[in-house]
Short mmCIF file of all heavy atoms in Angstrom, two decimals:
data_model
loop_
_atom_site.label_atom_id
_atom_site.label_comp_id
_atom_site.label_asym_id
_atom_site.label_seq_id
_atom_site.Cartn_x
_atom_site.Cartn_y
_atom_site.Cartn_z
N MET A 1 13.82 154.24 71.61
CA MET A 1 14.36 154.36 73.06
C MET A 1 15.86 154.12 72.99
O MET A 1 16.39 153.15 72.54
CB MET A 1 13.65 153.24 73.83
CG MET A 1 14.07 153.23 75.32
SD MET A 1 13.17 154.42 76.23
CE MET A 1 14.15 154.34 77.74
N VAL A 2 16.54 155.04 73.55
CA VAL A 2 18.05 154.98 73.71
C VAL A 2 18.40 153.92 74.81
O VAL A 2 17.85 153.93 75.88
CB VAL A 2 18.65 156.31 74.07
CG1 VAL A 2 20.15 156.24 74.06
CG2 VAL A 2 18.17 157.36 73.14
N THR A 3 19.32 153.03 74.52
CA THR A 3 19.82 152.11 75.56
C THR A 3 21.10 152.57 76.06
O THR A 3 22.06 152.82 75.32
CB THR A 3 19.87 150.72 74.93
OG1 THR A 3 18.64 150.38 74.36
CG2 THR A 3 20.20 149.69 76.04
N ILE A 4 21.21 152.72 77.38
CA ILE A 4 22.45 153.16 78.01
C ILE A 4 22.96 151.92 78.74
O ILE A 4 22.29 151.31 79.52
CB ILE A 4 22.12 154.31 78.97
CG1 ILE A 4 21.69 155.54 78.16
CG2 ILE A 4 23.41 154.66 79.81
CD1 ILE A 4 21.11 156.59 78.98
N ARG A 5 24.27 151.65 78.45
CA ARG A 5 24.86 150.43 79.03
C ARG A 5 26.03 150.73 79.99
O ARG A 5 26.54 149.86 80.62
CB ARG A 5 25.36 149.51 77.86
CG ARG A 5 24.26 148.90 77.04
CD ARG A 5 24.76 147.74 76.26
NE ARG A 5 23.64 147.10 75.52
CZ ARG A 5 23.23 147.50 74.44
NH1 ARG A 5 23.77 148.52 73.81
NH2 ARG A 5 22.18 146.86 73.84
N LYS A 6 26.41 152.03 80.05
CA LYS A 6 27.45 152.39 80.83
C LYS A 6 27.19 153.73 81.50
O LYS A 6 26.67 154.60 80.89
CB LYS A 6 28.74 152.63 79.86
CG LYS A 6 30.06 152.34 80.50
CD LYS A 6 31.10 152.28 79.43
CE LYS A 6 32.38 153.02 79.96
NZ LYS A 6 33.43 153.22 78.95
N CYS A 7 27.50 153.78 82.76
CA CYS A 7 27.20 155.03 83.53
C CYS A 7 28.18 156.13 83.03
O CYS A 7 29.40 155.96 83.03
CB CYS A 7 27.49 154.73 84.99
SG CYS A 7 27.35 156.25 85.95
N PRO A 8 27.62 157.27 82.64
CA PRO A 8 28.48 158.36 82.14
C PRO A 8 29.26 158.98 83.27
O PRO A 8 30.28 159.72 82.97
CB PRO A 8 27.49 159.34 81.50
CG PRO A 8 26.14 158.97 82.12
CD PRO A 8 26.19 157.57 82.53
N ALA A 9 28.86 158.82 84.48
CA ALA A 9 29.57 159.44 85.62
C ALA A 9 30.78 158.58 86.06
O ALA A 9 31.89 159.11 86.25
CB ALA A 9 28.63 159.64 86.75
N CYS A 10 30.60 157.26 86.27
CA CYS A 10 31.70 156.50 86.83
C CYS A 10 32.13 155.35 85.87
O CYS A 10 33.11 154.62 86.21
CB CYS A 10 31.31 155.88 88.16
SG CYS A 10 30.08 154.62 88.06
N GLY A 11 31.43 155.13 84.79
CA GLY A 11 31.81 154.16 83.78
C GLY A 11 31.33 152.70 84.15
O GLY A 11 31.68 151.76 83.54
N SER A 12 30.53 152.57 85.18
CA SER A 12 30.04 151.32 85.62
C SER A 12 29.06 150.65 84.65
O SER A 12 28.30 151.34 84.08
CB SER A 12 29.37 151.42 87.03
OG SER A 12 28.68 150.23 87.28
N LYS A 13 29.27 149.38 84.40
CA LYS A 13 28.35 148.72 83.43
C LYS A 13 27.15 148.11 84.18
O LYS A 13 26.34 147.44 83.53
CB LYS A 13 29.15 147.62 82.69
CG LYS A 13 30.05 148.23 81.64
CD LYS A 13 30.94 147.17 80.98
CE LYS A 13 31.87 147.81 80.05
NZ LYS A 13 33.01 147.03 79.72
N LYS A 14 26.99 148.39 85.42
CA LYS A 14 25.90 147.87 86.19
C LYS A 14 24.63 148.80 86.12
O LYS A 14 23.65 148.52 86.77
CB LYS A 14 26.28 147.67 87.67
CG LYS A 14 27.25 146.54 87.89
CD LYS A 14 27.42 146.31 89.34
CE LYS A 14 28.80 145.97 89.73
NZ LYS A 14 29.21 146.31 91.05
N ILE A 15 24.79 149.80 85.35
CA ILE A 15 23.71 150.71 85.24
C ILE A 15 22.38 150.06 84.83
O ILE A 15 22.42 149.15 83.94
CB ILE A 15 24.01 151.98 84.30
CG1 ILE A 15 23.07 153.10 84.47
CG2 ILE A 15 24.21 151.49 82.87
CD1 ILE A 15 23.64 154.41 84.11
N LYS A 16 21.29 150.42 85.45
CA LYS A 16 20.04 149.65 85.21
C LYS A 16 18.93 150.51 84.78
O LYS A 16 18.76 151.70 85.21
CB LYS A 16 19.58 149.06 86.56
CG LYS A 16 20.18 147.75 86.81
CD LYS A 16 19.46 147.02 87.96
CE LYS A 16 20.11 145.68 88.26
NZ LYS A 16 20.09 145.34 89.63
N HIS A 17 18.09 149.97 83.91
CA HIS A 17 16.85 150.63 83.42
C HIS A 17 15.81 150.60 84.55
O HIS A 17 15.65 149.59 85.23
CB HIS A 17 16.45 149.95 82.18
CG HIS A 17 15.04 150.44 81.68
ND1 HIS A 17 13.93 149.60 81.64
CD2 HIS A 17 14.71 151.65 81.35
CE1 HIS A 17 12.91 150.32 81.19
NE2 HIS A 17 13.39 151.53 80.99
N VAL A 18 15.23 151.77 84.78
CA VAL A 18 14.18 151.83 85.85
C VAL A 18 12.94 152.34 85.22
O VAL A 18 12.99 153.29 84.37
CB VAL A 18 14.64 152.76 87.01
CG1 VAL A 18 13.59 152.80 88.08
CG2 VAL A 18 15.98 152.43 87.50
N ARG A 19 11.78 151.88 85.56
CA ARG A 19 10.56 152.37 85.07
C ARG A 19 9.66 152.60 86.32
O ARG A 19 9.35 151.65 87.05
CB ARG A 19 9.80 151.46 84.09
CG ARG A 19 8.42 152.16 83.71
CD ARG A 19 7.76 151.33 82.70
NE ARG A 19 8.35 151.54 81.38
CZ ARG A 19 8.00 150.78 80.33
NH1 ARG A 19 7.19 149.86 80.41
NH2 ARG A 19 8.59 151.08 79.20
N GLY A 20 9.26 153.83 86.51
CA GLY A 20 8.43 153.99 87.67
C GLY A 20 8.06 155.50 87.89
O GLY A 20 8.42 156.33 87.07
N ARG A 21 7.48 155.74 89.02
CA ARG A 21 7.11 157.14 89.29
C ARG A 21 8.36 157.90 89.63
O ARG A 21 9.18 157.39 90.50
CB ARG A 21 6.02 157.11 90.46
CG ARG A 21 5.64 158.56 90.75
CD ARG A 21 4.65 158.56 91.94
NE ARG A 21 3.48 157.84 91.57
CZ ARG A 21 2.34 157.86 92.32
NH1 ARG A 21 2.37 158.43 93.50
NH2 ARG A 21 1.22 157.29 91.90
N TRP A 22 8.55 159.06 89.10
CA TRP A 22 9.72 159.86 89.37
C TRP A 22 9.32 161.08 90.07
O TRP A 22 8.39 161.81 89.66
CB TRP A 22 10.40 160.08 88.00
CG TRP A 22 11.71 160.93 88.13
CD1 TRP A 22 12.88 160.37 88.35
CD2 TRP A 22 11.87 162.29 88.02
NE1 TRP A 22 13.86 161.35 88.36
CE2 TRP A 22 13.23 162.53 88.14
CE3 TRP A 22 11.00 163.38 87.74
CZ2 TRP A 22 13.75 163.84 88.06
CZ3 TRP A 22 11.53 164.61 87.64
CH2 TRP A 22 12.84 164.91 87.86
N ARG A 23 10.00 161.47 91.09
CA ARG A 23 9.68 162.70 91.80
C ARG A 23 10.70 163.74 91.54
O ARG A 23 11.89 163.61 91.68
CB ARG A 23 9.74 162.44 93.34
CG ARG A 23 8.50 161.71 93.84
CD ARG A 23 8.69 161.16 95.20
NE ARG A 23 8.12 159.84 95.35
CZ ARG A 23 6.83 159.66 95.75
NH1 ARG A 23 6.11 160.71 96.00
NH2 ARG A 23 6.34 158.43 95.87
N GLY A 24 10.21 164.93 91.12
CA GLY A 24 11.07 166.02 90.82
C GLY A 24 10.81 167.21 91.75
O GLY A 24 9.78 167.24 92.48
N ASP A 25 11.69 168.16 91.69
CA ASP A 25 11.56 169.32 92.54
C ASP A 25 12.03 170.43 91.78
O ASP A 25 13.16 170.48 91.23
CB ASP A 25 12.49 169.11 93.80
CG ASP A 25 12.20 170.06 94.87
OD1 ASP A 25 12.12 171.24 94.61
OD2 ASP A 25 12.06 169.66 96.04
N TYR A 26 11.19 171.45 91.57
CA TYR A 26 11.62 172.66 90.80
C TYR A 26 11.30 173.87 91.71
O TYR A 26 10.15 174.13 92.06
CB TYR A 26 10.84 172.74 89.47
CG TYR A 26 11.21 174.11 88.78
CD1 TYR A 26 12.40 174.15 88.13
CD2 TYR A 26 10.40 175.17 88.93
CE1 TYR A 26 12.75 175.37 87.54
CE2 TYR A 26 10.74 176.34 88.28
CZ TYR A 26 11.98 176.42 87.56
OH TYR A 26 12.33 177.62 87.00
N ALA A 27 12.33 174.53 92.10
CA ALA A 27 12.24 175.76 93.00
C ALA A 27 11.35 175.56 94.14
O ALA A 27 10.45 176.30 94.45
CB ALA A 27 11.73 176.94 92.17
N GLY A 28 11.52 174.37 94.84
CA GLY A 28 10.77 174.01 95.98
C GLY A 28 9.38 173.44 95.70
O GLY A 28 8.70 173.00 96.61
N GLU A 29 9.01 173.37 94.50
CA GLU A 29 7.71 172.81 94.12
C GLU A 29 7.92 171.38 93.63
O GLU A 29 8.73 171.12 92.75
CB GLU A 29 7.13 173.66 92.93
CG GLU A 29 5.76 174.30 93.27
CD GLU A 29 5.29 175.00 92.03
OE1 GLU A 29 5.83 176.10 91.71
OE2 GLU A 29 4.26 174.54 91.47
N LYS A 30 7.20 170.46 94.32
CA LYS A 30 7.40 169.09 94.05
C LYS A 30 6.40 168.62 92.94
O LYS A 30 5.29 169.10 92.92
CB LYS A 30 7.25 168.23 95.25
CG LYS A 30 8.38 168.45 96.16
CD LYS A 30 8.35 167.52 97.39
CE LYS A 30 9.52 167.59 98.33
NZ LYS A 30 10.27 168.91 98.28
N TYR A 31 6.87 167.71 92.06
CA TYR A 31 6.00 167.17 91.09
C TYR A 31 6.31 165.77 90.80
O TYR A 31 7.52 165.37 91.08
CB TYR A 31 5.99 168.04 89.84
CG TYR A 31 7.33 168.18 89.16
CD1 TYR A 31 7.60 167.36 88.02
CD2 TYR A 31 8.28 169.03 89.60
CE1 TYR A 31 8.81 167.53 87.36
CE2 TYR A 31 9.57 169.09 88.94
CZ TYR A 31 9.78 168.42 87.88
OH TYR A 31 11.03 168.48 87.21
N THR A 32 5.47 164.99 90.21
CA THR A 32 5.82 163.59 89.91
C THR A 32 5.52 163.30 88.47
O THR A 32 4.65 163.97 87.91
CB THR A 32 4.91 162.68 90.79
OG1 THR A 32 3.59 162.94 90.50
CG2 THR A 32 5.25 162.71 92.27
N VAL A 33 6.29 162.50 87.93
CA VAL A 33 6.04 161.96 86.61
C VAL A 33 5.77 160.49 86.66
O VAL A 33 6.60 159.70 87.06
CB VAL A 33 7.35 162.22 85.75
CG1 VAL A 33 7.11 161.81 84.23
CG2 VAL A 33 7.82 163.69 85.75
N PRO A 34 4.59 160.04 86.23
CA PRO A 34 4.32 158.60 86.30
C PRO A 34 4.96 157.80 85.08
O PRO A 34 5.07 158.31 84.01
CB PRO A 34 2.80 158.60 86.23
CG PRO A 34 2.36 159.83 85.47
CD PRO A 34 3.49 160.83 85.69
N ASN A 35 5.27 156.58 85.39
CA ASN A 35 5.84 155.64 84.42
C ASN A 35 7.04 156.26 83.56
O ASN A 35 7.07 156.13 82.41
CB ASN A 35 4.74 155.20 83.39
CG ASN A 35 3.60 154.54 84.09
OD1 ASN A 35 3.76 153.77 85.01
ND2 ASN A 35 2.47 154.93 83.72
N LEU A 36 7.94 156.84 84.24
CA LEU A 36 9.10 157.38 83.59
C LEU A 36 10.19 156.29 83.41
O LEU A 36 10.52 155.53 84.30
CB LEU A 36 9.70 158.56 84.43
CG LEU A 36 10.85 159.28 83.73
CD1 LEU A 36 10.26 160.18 82.57
CD2 LEU A 36 11.61 160.16 84.68
N ASP A 37 10.77 156.28 82.24
CA ASP A 37 11.86 155.37 81.88
C ASP A 37 13.17 156.12 82.09
O ASP A 37 13.45 157.04 81.39
CB ASP A 37 11.79 154.84 80.46
CG ASP A 37 10.65 153.87 80.26
OD1 ASP A 37 10.76 152.79 80.75
OD2 ASP A 37 9.70 154.24 79.61
N TYR A 38 14.03 155.63 82.99
CA TYR A 38 15.35 156.23 83.09
C TYR A 38 16.38 155.18 83.60
O TYR A 38 15.98 154.03 83.70
CB TYR A 38 15.31 157.46 84.07
CG TYR A 38 14.90 157.17 85.35
CD1 TYR A 38 15.81 156.96 86.46
CD2 TYR A 38 13.54 157.08 85.83
CE1 TYR A 38 15.44 156.78 87.79
CE2 TYR A 38 13.14 156.87 87.08
CZ TYR A 38 14.10 156.70 88.13
OH TYR A 38 13.72 156.43 89.36
N TYR A 39 17.56 155.60 83.73
CA TYR A 39 18.58 154.65 84.21
C TYR A 39 19.19 155.12 85.47
O TYR A 39 19.31 156.27 85.78
CB TYR A 39 19.73 154.58 83.10
CG TYR A 39 19.18 153.95 81.88
CD1 TYR A 39 18.62 154.70 80.88
CD2 TYR A 39 19.42 152.59 81.58
CE1 TYR A 39 18.11 154.12 79.73
CE2 TYR A 39 18.95 151.97 80.42
CZ TYR A 39 18.26 152.72 79.52
OH TYR A 39 17.80 152.19 78.37
N ARG A 40 19.57 154.12 86.26
CA ARG A 40 20.17 154.45 87.55
C ARG A 40 21.43 153.53 87.81
O ARG A 40 21.39 152.39 87.59
CB ARG A 40 19.17 154.16 88.73
CG ARG A 40 19.54 154.71 89.95
CD ARG A 40 18.53 154.43 91.00
NE ARG A 40 19.06 154.97 92.22
CZ ARG A 40 18.34 155.44 93.26
NH1 ARG A 40 17.02 155.33 93.13
NH2 ARG A 40 18.96 155.75 94.38
N CYS A 41 22.49 154.20 88.21
CA CYS A 41 23.71 153.48 88.52
C CYS A 41 23.79 153.05 89.98
O CYS A 41 23.69 153.87 90.89
CB CYS A 41 24.89 154.30 88.16
SG CYS A 41 26.46 153.66 88.60
N PRO A 42 23.93 151.77 90.22
CA PRO A 42 23.98 151.28 91.66
C PRO A 42 25.33 151.63 92.35
O PRO A 42 25.39 151.57 93.51
CB PRO A 42 23.75 149.78 91.54
CG PRO A 42 24.26 149.44 90.15
CD PRO A 42 24.00 150.66 89.33
N ASP A 43 26.32 151.97 91.51
CA ASP A 43 27.60 152.27 92.10
C ASP A 43 27.76 153.69 92.61
O ASP A 43 28.26 153.95 93.74
CB ASP A 43 28.75 151.92 91.06
CG ASP A 43 28.92 150.44 90.87
OD1 ASP A 43 28.44 149.67 91.73
OD2 ASP A 43 29.51 150.03 89.85
N CYS A 44 27.34 154.63 91.78
CA CYS A 44 27.48 156.03 92.24
C CYS A 44 26.14 156.73 92.34
O CYS A 44 26.14 157.98 92.66
CB CYS A 44 28.36 156.75 91.24
SG CYS A 44 27.56 157.09 89.61
N HIS A 45 25.00 156.04 92.16
CA HIS A 45 23.64 156.57 92.28
C HIS A 45 23.36 157.74 91.35
O HIS A 45 22.44 158.47 91.55
CB HIS A 45 23.40 157.06 93.76
CG HIS A 45 23.67 155.93 94.69
ND1 HIS A 45 22.80 154.83 94.81
CD2 HIS A 45 24.62 155.72 95.61
CE1 HIS A 45 23.28 154.06 95.75
NE2 HIS A 45 24.39 154.53 96.25
N GLU A 46 24.08 157.73 90.26
CA GLU A 46 23.82 158.77 89.22
C GLU A 46 22.52 158.29 88.50
O GLU A 46 22.26 157.11 88.28
CB GLU A 46 25.02 158.76 88.24
CG GLU A 46 24.78 159.62 87.06
CD GLU A 46 25.19 161.15 87.33
OE1 GLU A 46 25.52 161.40 88.45
OE2 GLU A 46 25.08 161.89 86.41
N ARG A 47 21.72 159.29 88.13
CA ARG A 47 20.47 158.96 87.34
C ARG A 47 20.76 159.55 85.94
O ARG A 47 21.21 160.69 85.86
CB ARG A 47 19.31 159.64 87.98
CG ARG A 47 18.87 159.00 89.28
CD ARG A 47 17.57 159.63 89.65
NE ARG A 47 17.25 159.43 91.01
CZ ARG A 47 16.23 159.94 91.63
NH1 ARG A 47 15.39 160.67 90.86
NH2 ARG A 47 15.96 159.80 92.88
N VAL A 48 20.40 158.75 84.97
CA VAL A 48 20.58 159.15 83.59
C VAL A 48 19.24 159.19 82.84
O VAL A 48 18.46 158.15 82.97
CB VAL A 48 21.55 158.23 82.87
CG1 VAL A 48 21.86 158.73 81.49
CG2 VAL A 48 22.92 158.12 83.70
N TYR A 49 19.00 160.22 82.17
CA TYR A 49 17.75 160.36 81.50
C TYR A 49 17.86 160.49 80.01
O TYR A 49 18.52 161.32 79.44
CB TYR A 49 16.97 161.68 81.93
CG TYR A 49 16.82 161.66 83.45
CD1 TYR A 49 17.68 162.47 84.21
CD2 TYR A 49 15.97 160.84 84.09
CE1 TYR A 49 17.62 162.47 85.56
CE2 TYR A 49 15.86 160.87 85.48
CZ TYR A 49 16.65 161.66 86.21
OH TYR A 49 16.49 161.68 87.62
N PRO A 50 17.29 159.49 79.26
CA PRO A 50 17.41 159.50 77.80
C PRO A 50 16.49 160.75 77.38
O PRO A 50 15.69 161.23 78.15
CB PRO A 50 16.71 158.18 77.38
CG PRO A 50 16.55 157.43 78.60
CD PRO A 50 16.60 158.29 79.75
N PRO A 51 16.62 161.18 76.11
CA PRO A 51 15.85 162.30 75.59
C PRO A 51 14.34 162.12 75.75
O PRO A 51 13.68 163.13 76.13
CB PRO A 51 16.20 162.29 74.10
CG PRO A 51 17.47 161.62 73.96
CD PRO A 51 17.58 160.65 75.04
N GLU A 52 13.86 160.90 75.67
CA GLU A 52 12.37 160.69 75.90
C GLU A 52 12.03 161.06 77.28
O GLU A 52 10.95 161.61 77.58
CB GLU A 52 12.03 159.21 75.62
CG GLU A 52 12.14 158.83 74.16
CD GLU A 52 13.55 158.31 73.80
OE1 GLU A 52 14.46 158.58 74.52
OE2 GLU A 52 13.56 157.59 72.78
N ALA A 53 12.90 160.68 78.24
CA ALA A 53 12.62 160.88 79.66
C ALA A 53 12.64 162.42 79.94
O ALA A 53 11.83 162.96 80.68
CB ALA A 53 13.57 160.16 80.49
N MET A 54 13.62 163.14 79.38
CA MET A 54 13.76 164.53 79.54
C MET A 54 12.52 165.23 79.10
O MET A 54 12.02 166.15 79.74
CB MET A 54 14.92 165.08 78.74
CG MET A 54 16.32 164.69 79.34
SD MET A 54 16.60 165.03 81.00
CE MET A 54 16.51 166.84 81.00
N ARG A 55 11.96 164.82 77.89
CA ARG A 55 10.79 165.47 77.39
C ARG A 55 9.60 165.27 78.32
O ARG A 55 8.78 166.11 78.58
CB ARG A 55 10.48 164.85 76.02
CG ARG A 55 11.23 165.62 74.92
CD ARG A 55 10.60 165.31 73.51
NE ARG A 55 10.78 163.98 73.13
CZ ARG A 55 11.89 163.55 72.46
NH1 ARG A 55 12.89 164.44 72.15
NH2 ARG A 55 11.99 162.32 72.09
N LYS A 56 9.53 164.03 78.85
CA LYS A 56 8.40 163.73 79.76
C LYS A 56 8.51 164.52 81.03
O LYS A 56 7.53 165.03 81.59
CB LYS A 56 8.42 162.20 80.12
CG LYS A 56 7.08 161.62 80.10
CD LYS A 56 7.19 160.07 80.18
CE LYS A 56 5.83 159.52 80.56
NZ LYS A 56 5.83 158.03 80.70
N ILE A 57 9.76 164.71 81.51
CA ILE A 57 9.96 165.44 82.78
C ILE A 57 9.57 166.90 82.50
O ILE A 57 8.83 167.51 83.32
CB ILE A 57 11.40 165.33 83.22
CG1 ILE A 57 11.69 163.96 83.83
CG2 ILE A 57 11.72 166.36 84.32
CD1 ILE A 57 13.16 163.62 83.99
N GLN A 58 10.04 167.43 81.36
CA GLN A 58 9.69 168.84 81.01
C GLN A 58 8.14 169.02 80.92
O GLN A 58 7.67 170.04 81.34
CB GLN A 58 10.30 169.20 79.72
CG GLN A 58 11.81 169.60 79.93
CD GLN A 58 12.44 169.80 78.57
OE1 GLN A 58 11.97 169.64 77.52
NE2 GLN A 58 13.71 170.28 78.65
N ALA A 59 7.47 168.04 80.34
CA ALA A 59 6.10 168.20 80.19
C ALA A 59 5.31 168.24 81.56
O ALA A 59 4.25 168.78 81.62
CB ALA A 59 5.53 167.02 79.34
N HIS A 60 5.90 167.62 82.57
CA HIS A 60 5.28 167.58 83.87
C HIS A 60 5.83 168.66 84.82
O HIS A 60 5.34 168.88 85.83
CB HIS A 60 5.49 166.25 84.53
CG HIS A 60 4.64 165.15 83.93
ND1 HIS A 60 4.98 164.46 82.72
CD2 HIS A 60 3.51 164.62 84.34
CE1 HIS A 60 4.04 163.56 82.53
NE2 HIS A 60 3.16 163.66 83.43
N SER A 61 6.82 169.35 84.45
CA SER A 61 7.54 170.33 85.29
C SER A 61 6.71 171.60 85.48
O SER A 61 6.17 172.07 84.51
CB SER A 61 8.84 170.64 84.70
OG SER A 61 9.42 171.86 85.31
N PRO A 62 6.68 172.05 86.70
CA PRO A 62 5.92 173.31 86.95
C PRO A 62 6.55 174.50 86.15
O PRO A 62 5.89 175.37 85.74
CB PRO A 62 6.11 173.54 88.40
CG PRO A 62 6.52 172.29 89.04
CD PRO A 62 7.23 171.56 87.93
N ALA A 63 7.85 174.42 85.92
CA ALA A 63 8.58 175.48 85.19
C ALA A 63 8.03 175.57 83.78
O ALA A 63 7.77 176.66 83.23
CB ALA A 63 10.05 175.20 85.09
N TYR A 64 7.79 174.38 83.18
CA TYR A 64 7.35 174.34 81.78
C TYR A 64 5.90 174.74 81.73
O TYR A 64 5.52 175.60 80.82
CB TYR A 64 7.53 172.89 81.31
CG TYR A 64 7.33 172.71 79.85
CD1 TYR A 64 8.30 173.22 78.92
CD2 TYR A 64 6.23 172.03 79.41
CE1 TYR A 64 8.05 172.98 77.53
CE2 TYR A 64 5.97 171.88 78.01
CZ TYR A 64 6.95 172.35 77.09
OH TYR A 64 6.69 172.14 75.79
N SER A 65 5.08 174.26 82.57
CA SER A 65 3.59 174.57 82.42
C SER A 65 3.42 176.07 82.81
O SER A 65 2.51 176.73 82.21
CB SER A 65 2.81 173.69 83.45
OG SER A 65 3.31 173.68 84.66
N LYS A 66 4.28 176.63 83.64
CA LYS A 66 4.08 178.04 83.97
C LYS A 66 4.48 178.89 82.78
O LYS A 66 3.80 179.89 82.44
CB LYS A 66 5.01 178.47 85.10
CG LYS A 66 4.23 178.42 86.44
CD LYS A 66 5.17 178.88 87.56
CE LYS A 66 4.57 178.37 88.89
NZ LYS A 66 5.67 178.11 89.83
N ARG A 67 5.52 178.53 82.08
CA ARG A 67 5.98 179.22 80.91
C ARG A 67 4.86 179.22 79.82
O ARG A 67 4.59 180.22 79.15
CB ARG A 67 7.23 178.66 80.34
CG ARG A 67 8.12 179.62 79.64
CD ARG A 67 9.33 178.97 79.04
NE ARG A 67 10.12 178.27 80.08
CZ ARG A 67 10.79 177.15 79.82
NH1 ARG A 67 10.83 176.60 78.64
NH2 ARG A 67 11.46 176.47 80.79
N LEU A 68 4.14 178.13 79.75
CA LEU A 68 3.07 178.09 78.78
C LEU A 68 1.86 178.89 79.22
O LEU A 68 1.19 179.51 78.35
CB LEU A 68 2.56 176.58 78.66
CG LEU A 68 3.43 175.66 77.80
CD1 LEU A 68 2.75 174.31 77.76
CD2 LEU A 68 3.63 176.11 76.40
N ALA A 69 1.70 178.94 80.52
CA ALA A 69 0.52 179.70 81.03
C ALA A 69 0.71 181.22 80.87
O ALA A 69 -0.26 181.92 80.66
CB ALA A 69 0.31 179.41 82.53
N ILE A 70 1.97 181.68 80.93
CA ILE A 70 2.22 183.18 80.82
C ILE A 70 1.88 183.68 79.48
O ILE A 70 1.10 184.65 79.24
CB ILE A 70 3.67 183.47 81.13
CG1 ILE A 70 3.87 183.23 82.69
CG2 ILE A 70 4.05 184.89 80.88
CD1 ILE A 70 5.35 183.09 83.10
N ARG A 71 2.34 182.96 78.38
CA ARG A 71 1.99 183.41 77.03
C ARG A 71 1.90 182.26 76.06
O ARG A 71 2.82 181.54 75.96
CB ARG A 71 3.08 184.47 76.53
CG ARG A 71 2.43 185.78 76.26
CD ARG A 71 3.57 186.88 76.01
NE ARG A 71 3.79 187.53 77.28
CZ ARG A 71 3.03 188.56 77.70
NH1 ARG A 71 1.94 188.91 77.19
NH2 ARG A 71 3.39 189.10 78.91
ZN1 ZN B 1 27.91 155.38 88.06
#
């Protein structure tokens, strides 16, 4: 698990680890990812996703599942 200590957008060190249900939106289609680990900056509200989180989001994304369904 990658640990992020500084916000890449504003440089704030208050960036916090969050674990919880994440809601995504792909082309108007909403989807949720349960128990996602990501980081959130309280100063600029930037959300940062470590590679593990990106993989989890992709696995739940309608874009990804559709691509698998086509071929
Ligand atoms: Zn920030």
Side-chain angles (χ1 to χ4, degrees):
M1 181 82 192
V2 184
T3 306
I4 294 164
R5 291 195 177 86
K6 209 171 138 188
C7 174
C10 73
S12 171
K13 285 177 183 158
K14 286 187 219 157
I15 193 152
K16 272 192 183 146
H17 172 241
V18 183
R19 176 178 285 172
R21 183 181 293 187
W22 183 86
R23 282 166 219 273
D25 195 309
Y26 177 79
E29 240 181 290
K30 290 187 176 25
Y31 61 101
T32 57
V33 183
N35 301 318
L36 186 75
D37 286 292
Y38 61 97
Y39 291 84
R40 193 180 175 152
C41 175
D43 287 345
C44 71
H45 304 290
E46 177 82 358
R47 291 187 199 177
V48 183
Y49 305 103
E52 292 91 339
M54 289 306 296
R55 272 196 292 273
K56 223 171 162 179
I57 290 169
Q58 278 174 356
H60 285 80
S61 164
Y64 190 73
S65 49
K66 265 182 200 150
R67 210 181 304 147
L68 282 183
I70 292 164
R71 241 168 267 280

